[in-house]
Amino acid sequence: MSDVGSDEFDDERGKLGEYDGGRNGAGERHGAGRAVLPNGDVYQGGYESGRRHGQGTYCFKNGARYVGDYYQNMKHGHGTFYYPDGSKYEGLWVEDLRQGHGLYTYPNGDAYEGEWLHHMRHGQGIYNYQETVSKYKGSWVNGKMESAGEYIHSNNRYMGNFVNNNPSGPGKYVFDGCEQHGEYRPAEQDRAEGEWGESGSPAILKWIPKCVTELTLWTGTHTSCAENDRASAEAEN
């Protein structure tokens, strides 16, 4: 659904809708006021020179609601949006878009807290899965898990790089007292004749274990098993 309020009737040009509140010398809505729009939406809060400005509450006829800052008719600053499906976003807005740091709680109980850009998860953030009590912590690009990150579970965690929401390439599973190094590769899949080179279903990823070592510090880059062996030998000497 759209979370942008209606601007079409929120003025005096069409003599439509209802308004009760302050005005400036030019007759424009100015200061505190309450407007009932012809489409059923209701806004109560600040105005400046005829536009929603400052603190305000916008109630949509479908049950959605925004409470927060406005700037020239746009959600801008800090605000909370309550969606009709039960989800909620609380955080920063820039020109009607979720942008900056914010917390989004989804209808199924999942929650994402971190950075946003143009309405999408973008930057560093943590996604908590309600059903499994697991979480992803790391980098996001255009709404997807990308680059360095980690999946944290109750009894282990996976640390590595992600591409298009999936682990990709070298990484490691960290357990209590040890860690298993390896890498994720696309699994070999049978194809019918003539399918080579054609786009098919998403690749199935397979974890290829390499070695088990003592716990090491994760720096966002993969350390080979041989490098771990050398480091252990140097420590013993």
Side-chain angles (χ1 to χ4, degrees):
M1 61 149 294
S2 172
D3 51 19
V4 179
S6 174
D7 296 330
E8 182 178 358
F9 300 110
D10 201 8
D11 57 36
E12 298 300 312
R13 289 173 295 179
K15 306 298 182 184
L16 297 173
E18 301 175 6
Y19 174 74
D20 181 21
R23 295 182 183 274
N24 60 16
E28 300 170 317
R29 299 174 185 184
H30 196 88
R34 181 177 186 274
V36 180
L37 283 68
N39 68 352
D41 293 353
V42 177
Y43 171 77
Q44 183 166 351
Y47 279 91
E48 183 175 280
S49 301
R51 294 175 177 268
R52 296 187 292 273
H53 195 92
Q55 282 287 314
T57 298
Y58 194 107
C59 297
F60 296 75
K61 63 180 180 180
N62 64 3
R65 178 166 52 101
Y66 171 78
V67 181
D69 296 329
Y70 275 94
Y71 177 76
Q72 295 185 353
N73 263 359
M74 296 179 291
K75 295 183 291 296
H76 192 93
H78 189 276
T80 302
F81 200 104
Y82 302 87
Y83 294 87
D85 64 0
S87 58
K88 181 180 75 170
Y89 172 79
E90 181 178 4
L92 295 176
W93 298 78
V94 175
E95 297 182 353
D96 273 335
L97 299 175
R98 296 187 293 270
Q99 189 159 313
H101 186 87
L103 169 64
Y104 197 112
T105 304
Y106 296 85
N108 65 353
D110 290 359
Y112 168 81
E113 182 171 8
E115 297 172 296
W116 295 78
L117 181 67
H118 300 154
H119 258 352
M120 293 187 290
R121 299 185 291 269
H122 191 95
Q124 292 297 306
I126 300 174
Y127 192 104
N128 290 279
Y129 298 87
Q130 173 72 15
E131 184 176 356
T132 62
V133 199
S134 299
K135 67 176 67 175
Y136 169 82
K137 178 181 179 181
S139 179
W140 299 77
V141 176
N142 295 328
K144 295 183 178 181
M145 305 170 193
E146 293 280 348
S147 191
E150 54 182 312
Y151 260 127
I152 304 172
H153 307 285
S154 60
N155 58 352
N156 68 78
R157 69 176 61 196
Y158 172 77
M159 309 174 76
N161 289 310
F162 289 76
V163 175
N164 196 28
N165 281 336
N166 293 308
S168 178
K172 66 180 182 179
Y173 278 94
V174 180
F175 303 92
D176 185 15
C178 68
E179 54 191 41
Q180 182 187 70
H181 296 255
E183 64 178 303
Y184 272 103
R185 296 178 183 173
E188 294 290 337
Q189 300 183 60
D190 290 335
R191 291 173 177 260
E193 290 187 19
E195 285 187 343
W196 295 106
E198 297 179 3
S199 60
S201 59
I204 298 174
L205 298 174
K206 183 178 181 181
W207 172 247
I208 310 296
K210 297 292 183 65
C211 65
V212 176
T213 69
E214 296 180 350
L215 296 176
T216 59
L217 179 65
W218 176 253
T219 61
T221 57
H222 178 64
T223 302
S224 68
C225 295
E227 290 172 325
N228 282 322
D229 291 341
R230 286 197 298 270
S232 298
E234 291 173 358
E236 291 176 358
N237 295 331

